[in-house]
Amino acid sequence: MKRGGSIAVLLAVSLFAAGCSSASTAGTTSTGSSSASAGAGTPAVGSGTATSGSATGAAHKKGGEVTIANVGGQTWSCQFNPFNPAVNQQALGFVYEPLVFVNVLKNQAETPMLATSYKWNATKTSIVFDIRQGVKWSDGQAFTAKDVAFTFNLLKKYPGTDLYALWTGAGMKSVTAAGNQVTMTFAGPATTYFFNFANQVGIVPEHIFGTGAGAAAPDTWADPNPVGTGPFTVSPCSANNIQYLANPTYWQTGKPYIQKVQYPAYLDNGPANLDLANGKAQWGSQFIPSIKTFYLAKSSDNHTWSPPTSNVSLYPNNDPSHPATSKLAVRQAIALALDRNQVAAIGENGQQPAANQSGIVLPTFEKYYDAAAVTAAGYDKPNATKAAALLATAGYSPSNPLNLSVITVTGYTDWDASLAVIKQQLAPIGINITVEDLAQQSYNTKLYTGDFDLAYYGSAGGPTPYQELRQILYSKNSAPIGKTAATNFERYSNPAVDKLMDQYPAADDATQVSIIKQISLAMIKDVPVIPMTENVDWFQYNTKDIDGWPTPDNPYSQPAAFNVPDVGQVLTTIYSKSAQN
């Protein structure tokens, strides 16, 4: 699982985001405002020049299978609802697809998916998508523009499905279908939200989600036998393994090359890492301690590449119902006492860099970073003395300690190691930490409903820092304690920050940088969350039989199996070398 859950997509879940394969169906190049990268033989979705999004360029013969080792911390529930952030990592990209794939690692390069092209109006308040023709759902029924409009209007009707606050936060006003086109209108300029509505919303069939159990509760329905347009179908799913089979009627002619995907359920990193090291699994997406000796040295076919994209943070509950962590002095004391470099070195074995209190991932987003503000606030280095003094103003000390629990996911051994360091560092100032290792589903429930003192969580990234910061700080992404929040799990609310978030989409580039710096000042001043390490896309891959993986030289997708919809780009690009004989 993504370290922190999909928001799933996870979560990806603000407006953004936080990731390309060739497409075979021709369309019309749009006159959109953004540059685009399309698959071989496919027009660009924008005004830029089309380039190959495939890792290989040429077509390959079908055959072979791949096994994914990605620790979820529990057995599979066999639910595939793309609107449920607890399970959509097993659905988006595999079964369900977006309109356009946007590559976070390649300057937001675009690949047309269920939309062949799009065009904005002059004010960027309306966008018209040309919907791909000749696509079938995996049950044989025709996919149409009406399914696209139905999907987005479903998000309005059932707010629990609107993981990116498109209707309540992005200003979406209407989505209509006419012929093979879908028109979306917004209250203001909406290019900032393109990543969310074009890339992160999986399109669902109206004939499934518009009737029966799917229509009754589309936000909570299990969707055990998902019907999508994607490269794979589920057949079968059990508690211990999900088997995906190639969709024989997939719209990308000749794809996917890989015909079968095995996705075992791993309860912790140990067995998964062992399967990766001995070649039993070919695609890994979790922390491997001593990776050089344990994994890379085992075979010349074992490789790794894990680009940083977001943050792993300590989330203090900001809601007044938690009287200790809702106190600013307590949150400041925690942030000041922690040595992030030590957490990165020990907890993550140096494979993730230390984060900073502004929440800006470095060096990826250097131009948005205000180093002087971090230093002025004293967060450039740990200061236990100042931390103890602040904690004392809240009434706590080593003689009168503050007892807090922190929730994490069982089996995430690197998080356990990081939290052991955090616990050790906080004890001297008078904070006692109890670590609660929970199965993924239990963890998600507590995280989403705000049932925690502290939570350890890795948020999704995006094309700019705005996407992650919006997930963390935007009040419309949150919910009252006991209700499910899309993101902003810590329940932070600041009208001034909300206003800055709302101003960002219409601002020019220079102003957007300024707005991000102002928003990051709220991270420094209010300490709503405490970034600990920079979250990387854990990625290990074996090339003995499987080739076409994303690499630093060809980052056609975010490489970890927990990234959606990126997983679909990888699965339609990799191929079996033995099947080519």
Side-chain angles (χ1 to χ4, degrees), residues 488-519:
N488 191 339
F489 306 118
E490 80 282 5
R491 273 64 185 178
Y492 174 74
S493 181
N494 185 329
V497 170
D498 285 349
K499 184 177 180 180
L500 288 168
M501 294 286 184
D502 291 336
Q503 291 173 346
Y504 181 91
D508 58 34
D509 290 347
T511 304
Q512 286 186 340
V513 172
S514 175
I515 288 173
I516 292 298
K517 288 186 176 181
Q518 293 177 67
I519 292 172

PDB file of all heavy atoms in Angstrom, residues 488-519:
ATOM      1  N   ASN A 488      -6.794  16.034   5.109  1.00  0.00           N
ATOM      2  CA  ASN A 488      -6.803  16.917   6.281  1.00  0.00           C
ATOM      3  C   ASN A 488      -7.302  16.136   7.499  1.00  0.00           C
ATOM      4  O   ASN A 488      -8.219  16.531   8.205  1.00  0.00           O
ATOM      5  CB  ASN A 488      -7.679  18.154   6.043  1.00  0.00           C
ATOM      6  CG  ASN A 488      -7.513  19.221   7.130  1.00  0.00           C
ATOM      7  OD1 ASN A 488      -7.064  18.942   8.238  1.00  0.00           O
ATOM      8  ND2 ASN A 488      -7.886  20.442   6.811  1.00  0.00           N
ATOM      9  N   PHE A 489      -6.659  14.998   7.726  1.00  0.00           N
ATOM     10  CA  PHE A 489      -7.082  14.106   8.793  1.00  0.00           C
ATOM     11  C   PHE A 489      -6.868  14.710  10.181  1.00  0.00           C
ATOM     12  O   PHE A 489      -7.508  14.307  11.146  1.00  0.00           O
ATOM     13  CB  PHE A 489      -6.322  12.780   8.699  1.00  0.00           C
ATOM     14  CG  PHE A 489      -6.431  12.126   7.349  1.00  0.00           C
ATOM     15  CD1 PHE A 489      -5.307  11.908   6.575  1.00  0.00           C
ATOM     16  CD2 PHE A 489      -7.655  11.743   6.846  1.00  0.00           C
ATOM     17  CE1 PHE A 489      -5.396  11.310   5.335  1.00  0.00           C
ATOM     18  CE2 PHE A 489      -7.772  11.143   5.601  1.00  0.00           C
ATOM     19  CZ  PHE A 489      -6.635  10.927   4.840  1.00  0.00           C
ATOM     20  N   GLU A 490      -5.945  15.669  10.268  1.00  0.00           N
ATOM     21  CA  GLU A 490      -5.646  16.283  11.563  1.00  0.00           C
ATOM     22  C   GLU A 490      -6.689  17.315  11.967  1.00  0.00           C
ATOM     23  O   GLU A 490      -6.655  17.846  13.069  1.00  0.00           O
ATOM     24  CB  GLU A 490      -4.250  16.909  11.548  1.00  0.00           C
ATOM     25  CG  GLU A 490      -4.128  18.274  10.884  1.00  0.00           C
ATOM     26  CD  GLU A 490      -4.110  18.232   9.361  1.00  0.00           C
ATOM     27  OE1 GLU A 490      -4.278  17.141   8.786  1.00  0.00           O
ATOM     28  OE2 GLU A 490      -3.946  19.306   8.743  1.00  0.00           O
ATOM     29  N   ARG A 491      -7.632  17.627  11.057  1.00  0.00           N
ATOM     30  CA  ARG A 491      -8.733  18.564  11.329  1.00  0.00           C
ATOM     31  C   ARG A 491      -8.233  19.987  11.528  1.00  0.00           C
ATOM     32  O   ARG A 491      -8.687  20.713  12.406  1.00  0.00           O
ATOM     33  CB  ARG A 491      -9.546  18.111  12.528  1.00  0.00           C
ATOM     34  CG  ARG A 491     -10.681  17.125  12.230  1.00  0.00           C
ATOM     35  CD  ARG A 491     -10.261  15.804  11.688  1.00  0.00           C
ATOM     36  NE  ARG A 491     -11.435  14.980  11.335  1.00  0.00           N
ATOM     37  CZ  ARG A 491     -11.382  13.780  10.791  1.00  0.00           C
ATOM     38  NH1 ARG A 491     -10.215  13.241  10.512  1.00  0.00           N
ATOM     39  NH2 ARG A 491     -12.478  13.116  10.485  1.00  0.00           N
ATOM     40  N   TYR A 492      -7.341  20.435  10.671  1.00  0.00           N
ATOM     41  CA  TYR A 492      -6.833  21.808  10.715  1.00  0.00           C
ATOM     42  C   TYR A 492      -7.786  22.731   9.974  1.00  0.00           C
ATOM     43  O   TYR A 492      -8.288  22.398   8.907  1.00  0.00           O
ATOM     44  CB  TYR A 492      -5.453  21.860  10.066  1.00  0.00           C
ATOM     45  CG  TYR A 492      -4.854  23.244   9.918  1.00  0.00           C
ATOM     46  CD1 TYR A 492      -4.359  23.929  11.028  1.00  0.00           C
ATOM     47  CD2 TYR A 492      -4.761  23.852   8.669  1.00  0.00           C
ATOM     48  CE1 TYR A 492      -3.784  25.188  10.899  1.00  0.00           C
ATOM     49  CE2 TYR A 492      -4.179  25.104   8.518  1.00  0.00           C
ATOM     50  CZ  TYR A 492      -3.695  25.770   9.633  1.00  0.00           C
ATOM     51  OH  TYR A 492      -3.125  27.014   9.497  1.00  0.00           O
ATOM     52  N   SER A 493      -8.034  23.907  10.541  1.00  0.00           N
ATOM     53  CA  SER A 493      -8.902  24.883   9.895  1.00  0.00           C
ATOM     54  C   SER A 493      -8.332  26.279  10.075  1.00  0.00           C
ATOM     55  O   SER A 493      -8.113  26.731  11.201  1.00  0.00           O
ATOM     56  CB  SER A 493     -10.321  24.826  10.493  1.00  0.00           C
ATOM     57  OG  SER A 493     -11.162  25.764   9.856  1.00  0.00           O
ATOM     58  N   ASN A 494      -8.085  26.948   8.955  1.00  0.00           N
ATOM     59  CA  ASN A 494      -7.553  28.299   8.971  1.00  0.00           C
ATOM     60  C   ASN A 494      -8.129  29.033   7.763  1.00  0.00           C
ATOM     61  O   ASN A 494      -7.723  28.782   6.633  1.00  0.00           O
ATOM     62  CB  ASN A 494      -6.023  28.280   8.909  1.00  0.00           C
ATOM     63  CG  ASN A 494      -5.402  29.657   9.046  1.00  0.00           C
ATOM     64  OD1 ASN A 494      -5.991  30.652   8.636  1.00  0.00           O
ATOM     65  ND2 ASN A 494      -4.209  29.714   9.619  1.00  0.00           N
ATOM     66  N   PRO A 495      -9.092  29.946   7.983  1.00  0.00           N
ATOM     67  CA  PRO A 495      -9.730  30.652   6.858  1.00  0.00           C
ATOM     68  C   PRO A 495      -8.731  31.384   5.960  1.00  0.00           C
ATOM     69  O   PRO A 495      -8.942  31.459   4.743  1.00  0.00           O
ATOM     70  CB  PRO A 495     -10.666  31.642   7.553  1.00  0.00           C
ATOM     71  CG  PRO A 495     -10.977  30.999   8.872  1.00  0.00           C
ATOM     72  CD  PRO A 495      -9.704  30.307   9.278  1.00  0.00           C
ATOM     73  N   ALA A 496      -7.661  31.903   6.539  1.00  0.00           N
ATOM     74  CA  ALA A 496      -6.664  32.613   5.730  1.00  0.00           C
ATOM     75  C   ALA A 496      -5.965  31.658   4.769  1.00  0.00           C
ATOM     76  O   ALA A 496      -5.689  32.007   3.612  1.00  0.00           O
ATOM     77  CB  ALA A 496      -5.644  33.301   6.639  1.00  0.00           C
ATOM     78  N   VAL A 497      -5.690  30.453   5.243  1.00  0.00           N
ATOM     79  CA  VAL A 497      -5.057  29.441   4.380  1.00  0.00           C
ATOM     80  C   VAL A 497      -6.041  28.982   3.313  1.00  0.00           C
ATOM     81  O   VAL A 497      -5.668  28.819   2.142  1.00  0.00           O
ATOM     82  CB  VAL A 497      -4.557  28.250   5.219  1.00  0.00           C
ATOM     83  CG1 VAL A 497      -4.129  27.097   4.323  1.00  0.00           C
ATOM     84  CG2 VAL A 497      -3.396  28.687   6.108  1.00  0.00           C
ATOM     85  N   ASP A 498      -7.299  28.769   3.696  1.00  0.00           N
ATOM     86  CA  ASP A 498      -8.315  28.394   2.708  1.00  0.00           C
ATOM     87  C   ASP A 498      -8.397  29.444   1.607  1.00  0.00           C
ATOM     88  O   ASP A 498      -8.521  29.120   0.417  1.00  0.00           O
ATOM     89  CB  ASP A 498      -9.680  28.244   3.374  1.00  0.00           C
ATOM     90  CG  ASP A 498      -9.809  26.967   4.182  1.00  0.00           C
ATOM     91  OD1 ASP A 498      -8.930  26.087   4.067  1.00  0.00           O
ATOM     92  OD2 ASP A 498     -10.791  26.850   4.935  1.00  0.00           O
ATOM     93  N   LYS A 499      -8.327  30.702   1.989  1.00  0.00           N
ATOM     94  CA  LYS A 499      -8.411  31.794   1.009  1.00  0.00           C
ATOM     95  C   LYS A 499      -7.233  31.745   0.047  1.00  0.00           C
ATOM     96  O   LYS A 499      -7.396  31.922  -1.168  1.00  0.00           O
ATOM     97  CB  LYS A 499      -8.457  33.141   1.738  1.00  0.00           C
ATOM     98  CG  LYS A 499      -8.650  34.342   0.814  1.00  0.00           C
ATOM     99  CD  LYS A 499      -8.766  35.639   1.605  1.00  0.00           C
ATOM    100  CE  LYS A 499      -8.959  36.834   0.672  1.00  0.00           C
ATOM    101  NZ  LYS A 499      -9.081  38.104   1.431  1.00  0.00           N
ATOM    102  N   LEU A 500      -6.047  31.495   0.576  1.00  0.00           N
ATOM    103  CA  LEU A 500      -4.865  31.368  -0.282  1.00  0.00           C
ATOM    104  C   LEU A 500      -5.010  30.177  -1.232  1.00  0.00           C
ATOM    105  O   LEU A 500      -4.644  30.255  -2.412  1.00  0.00           O
ATOM    106  CB  LEU A 500      -3.606  31.206   0.575  1.00  0.00           C
ATOM    107  CG  LEU A 500      -3.127  32.450   1.328  1.00  0.00           C
ATOM    108  CD1 LEU A 500      -2.073  32.069   2.359  1.00  0.00           C
ATOM    109  CD2 LEU A 500      -2.572  33.482   0.355  1.00  0.00           C
ATOM    110  N   MET A 501      -5.527  29.076  -0.719  1.00  0.00           N
ATOM    111  CA  MET A 501      -5.755  27.900  -1.562  1.00  0.00           C
ATOM    112  C   MET A 501      -6.696  28.242  -2.715  1.00  0.00           C
ATOM    113  O   MET A 501      -6.476  27.826  -3.860  1.00  0.00           O
ATOM    114  CB  MET A 501      -6.350  26.759  -0.726  1.00  0.00           C
ATOM    115  CG  MET A 501      -5.447  26.189   0.339  1.00  0.00           C
ATOM    116  SD  MET A 501      -4.129  25.155  -0.352  1.00  0.00           S
ATOM    117  CE  MET A 501      -3.363  24.576   1.170  1.00  0.00           C
ATOM    118  N   ASP A 502      -7.744  29.003  -2.421  1.00  0.00           N
ATOM    119  CA  ASP A 502      -8.726  29.350  -3.434  1.00  0.00           C
ATOM    120  C   ASP A 502      -8.178  30.367  -4.439  1.00  0.00           C
ATOM    121  O   ASP A 502      -8.619  30.414  -5.593  1.00  0.00           O
ATOM    122  CB  ASP A 502      -9.991  29.904  -2.774  1.00  0.00           C
ATOM    123  CG  ASP A 502     -10.762  28.841  -1.997  1.00  0.00           C
ATOM    124  OD1 ASP A 502     -10.607  27.641  -2.316  1.00  0.00           O
ATOM    125  OD2 ASP A 502     -11.510  29.206  -1.073  1.00  0.00           O
ATOM    126  N   GLN A 503      -7.220  31.200  -4.020  1.00  0.00           N
ATOM    127  CA  GLN A 503      -6.636  32.201  -4.911  1.00  0.00           C
ATOM    128  C   GLN A 503      -5.619  31.590  -5.880  1.00  0.00           C
ATOM    129  O   GLN A 503      -5.395  32.125  -6.967  1.00  0.00           O
ATOM    130  CB  GLN A 503      -5.941  33.292  -4.085  1.00  0.00           C
ATOM    131  CG  GLN A 503      -6.880  34.175  -3.291  1.00  0.00           C
ATOM    132  CD  GLN A 503      -6.139  35.124  -2.351  1.00  0.00           C
ATOM    133  OE1 GLN A 503      -4.938  34.952  -2.094  1.00  0.00           O
ATOM    134  NE2 GLN A 503      -6.850  36.100  -1.826  1.00  0.00           N
ATOM    135  N   TYR A 504      -5.025  30.497  -5.484  1.00  0.00           N
ATOM    136  CA  TYR A 504      -3.924  29.903  -6.257  1.00  0.00           C
ATOM    137  C   TYR A 504      -4.281  29.598  -7.715  1.00  0.00           C
ATOM    138  O   TYR A 504      -3.508  29.938  -8.620  1.00  0.00           O
ATOM    139  CB  TYR A 504      -3.451  28.637  -5.541  1.00  0.00           C
ATOM    140  CG  TYR A 504      -2.305  27.918  -6.213  1.00  0.00           C
ATOM    141  CD1 TYR A 504      -0.980  28.208  -5.873  1.00  0.00           C
ATOM    142  CD2 TYR A 504      -2.529  26.938  -7.172  1.00  0.00           C
ATOM    143  CE1 TYR A 504       0.072  27.548  -6.482  1.00  0.00           C
ATOM    144  CE2 TYR A 504      -1.486  26.272  -7.790  1.00  0.00           C
ATOM    145  CZ  TYR A 504      -0.188  26.574  -7.437  1.00  0.00           C
ATOM    146  OH  TYR A 504       0.850  25.916  -8.051  1.00  0.00           O
ATOM    147  N   PRO A 505      -5.424  28.954  -8.017  1.00  0.00           N
ATOM    148  CA  PRO A 505      -5.679  28.554  -9.397  1.00  0.00           C
ATOM    149  C   PRO A 505      -5.675  29.695 -10.402  1.00  0.00           C
ATOM    150  O   PRO A 505      -5.249  29.518 -11.543  1.00  0.00           O
ATOM    151  CB  PRO A 505      -7.061  27.898  -9.313  1.00  0.00           C
ATOM    152  CG  PRO A 505      -7.157  27.413  -7.909  1.00  0.00           C
ATOM    153  CD  PRO A 505      -6.467  28.471  -7.103  1.00  0.00           C
ATOM    154  N   ALA A 506      -6.145  30.885 -10.013  1.00  0.00           N
ATOM    155  CA  ALA A 506      -6.236  32.006 -10.949  1.00  0.00           C
ATOM    156  C   ALA A 506      -4.971  32.848 -11.008  1.00  0.00           C
ATOM    157  O   ALA A 506      -4.866  33.765 -11.831  1.00  0.00           O
ATOM    158  CB  ALA A 506      -7.428  32.894 -10.572  1.00  0.00           C
ATOM    159  N   ALA A 507      -4.000  32.551 -10.161  1.00  0.00           N
ATOM    160  CA  ALA A 507      -2.790  33.374 -10.074  1.00  0.00           C
ATOM    161  C   ALA A 507      -1.800  33.049 -11.179  1.00  0.00           C
ATOM    162  O   ALA A 507      -1.796  31.938 -11.724  1.00  0.00           O
ATOM    163  CB  ALA A 507      -2.139  33.178  -8.709  1.00  0.00           C
ATOM    164  N   ASP A 508      -0.933  34.015 -11.510  1.00  0.00           N
ATOM    165  CA  ASP A 508       0.138  33.745 -12.468  1.00  0.00           C
ATOM    166  C   ASP A 508       1.240  32.962 -11.770  1.00  0.00           C
ATOM    167  O   ASP A 508       1.190  32.735 -10.553  1.00  0.00           O
ATOM    168  CB  ASP A 508       0.678  35.041 -13.081  1.00  0.00           C
ATOM    169  CG  ASP A 508       1.216  36.028 -12.042  1.00  0.00           C
ATOM    170  OD1 ASP A 508       1.778  35.585 -11.012  1.00  0.00           O
ATOM    171  OD2 ASP A 508       1.090  37.240 -12.258  1.00  0.00           O
ATOM    172  N   ASP A 509       2.247  32.538 -12.541  1.00  0.00           N
ATOM    173  CA  ASP A 509       3.269  31.641 -11.995  1.00  0.00           C
ATOM    174  C   ASP A 509       3.991  32.245 -10.799  1.00  0.00           C
ATOM    175  O   ASP A 509       4.184  31.582  -9.772  1.00  0.00           O
ATOM    176  CB  ASP A 509       4.284  31.280 -13.082  1.00  0.00           C
ATOM    177  CG  ASP A 509       3.692  30.364 -14.143  1.00  0.00           C
ATOM    178  OD1 ASP A 509       2.597  29.826 -13.897  1.00  0.00           O
ATOM    179  OD2 ASP A 509       4.313  30.201 -15.200  1.00  0.00           O
ATOM    180  N   ALA A 510       4.402  33.500 -10.915  1.00  0.00           N
ATOM    181  CA  ALA A 510       5.151  34.141  -9.824  1.00  0.00           C
ATOM    182  C   ALA A 510       4.290  34.262  -8.570  1.00  0.00           C
ATOM    183  O   ALA A 510       4.762  34.043  -7.446  1.00  0.00           O
ATOM    184  CB  ALA A 510       5.642  35.521 -10.263  1.00  0.00           C
ATOM    185  N   THR A 511       3.025  34.600  -8.771  1.00  0.00           N
ATOM    186  CA  THR A 511       2.122  34.732  -7.622  1.00  0.00           C
ATOM    187  C   THR A 511       1.858  33.376  -6.988  1.00  0.00           C
ATOM    188  O   THR A 511       1.729  33.262  -5.766  1.00  0.00           O
ATOM    189  CB  THR A 511       0.801  35.388  -8.050  1.00  0.00           C
ATOM    190  OG1 THR A 511       1.082  36.651  -8.673  1.00  0.00           O
ATOM    191  CG2 THR A 511      -0.103  35.620  -6.852  1.00  0.00           C
ATOM    192  N   GLN A 512       1.774  32.341  -7.809  1.00  0.00           N
ATOM    193  CA  GLN A 512       1.578  31.000  -7.255  1.00  0.00           C
ATOM    194  C   GLN A 512       2.740  30.592  -6.360  1.00  0.00           C
ATOM    195  O   GLN A 512       2.537  29.996  -5.299  1.00  0.00           O
ATOM    196  CB  GLN A 512       1.384  29.989  -8.380  1.00  0.00           C
ATOM    197  CG  GLN A 512       0.022  30.073  -9.043  1.00  0.00           C
ATOM    198  CD  GLN A 512      -0.211  28.980 -10.063  1.00  0.00           C
ATOM    199  OE1 GLN A 512       0.732  28.366 -10.573  1.00  0.00           O
ATOM    200  NE2 GLN A 512      -1.467  28.720 -10.387  1.00  0.00           N
ATOM    201  N   VAL A 513       3.949  30.922  -6.760  1.00  0.00           N
ATOM    202  CA  VAL A 513       5.112  30.631  -5.914  1.00  0.00           C
ATOM    203  C   VAL A 513       4.992  31.382  -4.598  1.00  0.00           C
ATOM    204  O   VAL A 513       5.235  30.832  -3.511  1.00  0.00           O
ATOM    205  CB  VAL A 513       6.428  31.001  -6.638  1.00  0.00           C
ATOM    206  CG1 VAL A 513       7.613  30.888  -5.669  1.00  0.00           C
ATOM    207  CG2 VAL A 513       6.647  30.103  -7.849  1.00  0.00           C
ATOM    208  N   SER A 514       4.601  32.651  -4.674  1.00  0.00           N
ATOM    209  CA  SER A 514       4.420  33.454  -3.468  1.00  0.00           C
ATOM    210  C   SER A 514       3.344  32.878  -2.565  1.00  0.00           C
ATOM    211  O   SER A 514       3.495  32.838  -1.331  1.00  0.00           O
ATOM    212  CB  SER A 514       4.053  34.896  -3.853  1.00  0.00           C
ATOM    213  OG  SER A 514       3.750  35.675  -2.715  1.00  0.00           O
ATOM    214  N   ILE A 515       2.241  32.410  -3.164  1.00  0.00           N
ATOM    215  CA  ILE A 515       1.155  31.828  -2.376  1.00  0.00           C
ATOM    216  C   ILE A 515       1.618  30.560  -1.661  1.00  0.00           C
ATOM    217  O   ILE A 515       1.308  30.349  -0.478  1.00  0.00           O
ATOM    218  CB  ILE A 515      -0.054  31.534  -3.284  1.00  0.00           C
ATOM    219  CG1 ILE A 515      -0.736  32.841  -3.686  1.00  0.00           C
ATOM    220  CG2 ILE A 515      -1.056  30.601  -2.591  1.00  0.00           C
ATOM    221  CD1 ILE A 515      -1.844  32.674  -4.711  1.00  0.00           C
ATOM    222  N   ILE A 516       2.377  29.728  -2.353  1.00  0.00           N
ATOM    223  CA  ILE A 516       2.885  28.508  -1.718  1.00  0.00           C
ATOM    224  C   ILE A 516       3.765  28.855  -0.530  1.00  0.00           C
ATOM    225  O   ILE A 516       3.699  28.210   0.531  1.00  0.00           O
ATOM    226  CB  ILE A 516       3.660  27.640  -2.729  1.00  0.00           C
ATOM    227  CG1 ILE A 516       2.720  27.067  -3.786  1.00  0.00           C
ATOM    228  CG2 ILE A 516       4.397  26.502  -2.013  1.00  0.00           C
ATOM    229  CD1 ILE A 516       1.645  26.160  -3.247  1.00  0.00           C
ATOM    230  N   LYS A 517       4.605  29.869  -0.680  1.00  0.00           N
ATOM    231  CA  LYS A 517       5.462  30.269   0.439  1.00  0.00           C
ATOM    232  C   LYS A 517       4.625  30.759   1.619  1.00  0.00           C
ATOM    233  O   LYS A 517       4.957  30.503   2.785  1.00  0.00           O
ATOM    234  CB  LYS A 517       6.448  31.336  -0.019  1.00  0.00           C
ATOM    235  CG  LYS A 517       7.547  30.806  -0.928  1.00  0.00           C
ATOM    236  CD  LYS A 517       8.585  31.867  -1.255  1.00  0.00           C
ATOM    237  CE  LYS A 517       9.720  31.271  -2.093  1.00  0.00           C
ATOM    238  NZ  LYS A 517      10.770  32.278  -2.420  1.00  0.00           N
ATOM    239  N   GLN A 518       3.527  31.461   1.334  1.00  0.00           N
ATOM    240  CA  GLN A 518       2.650  31.927   2.413  1.00  0.00           C
ATOM    241  C   GLN A 518       1.946  30.748   3.085  1.00  0.00           C
ATOM    242  O   GLN A 518       1.792  30.724   4.314  1.00  0.00           O
ATOM    243  CB  GLN A 518       1.615  32.901   1.854  1.00  0.00           C
ATOM    244  CG  GLN A 518       2.195  34.220   1.357  1.00  0.00           C
ATOM    245  CD  GLN A 518       1.124  35.099   0.743  1.00  0.00           C
ATOM    246  OE1 GLN A 518       0.223  35.589   1.437  1.00  0.00           O
ATOM    247  NE2 GLN A 518       1.194  35.287  -0.570  1.00  0.00           N
ATOM    248  N   ILE A 519       1.530  29.790   2.291  1.00  0.00           N
ATOM    249  CA  ILE A 519       0.878  28.608   2.858  1.00  0.00           C
ATOM    250  C   ILE A 519       1.859  27.805   3.705  1.00  0.00           C
ATOM    251  O   ILE A 519       1.519  27.315   4.794  1.00  0.00           O
ATOM    252  CB  ILE A 519       0.286  27.730   1.737  1.00  0.00           C
ATOM    253  CG1 ILE A 519      -0.880  28.450   1.061  1.00  0.00           C
ATOM    254  CG2 ILE A 519      -0.177  26.377   2.286  1.00  0.00           C
ATOM    255  CD1 ILE A 519      -1.403  27.751  -0.178  1.00  0.00           C
TER     256      ILE A 519
END
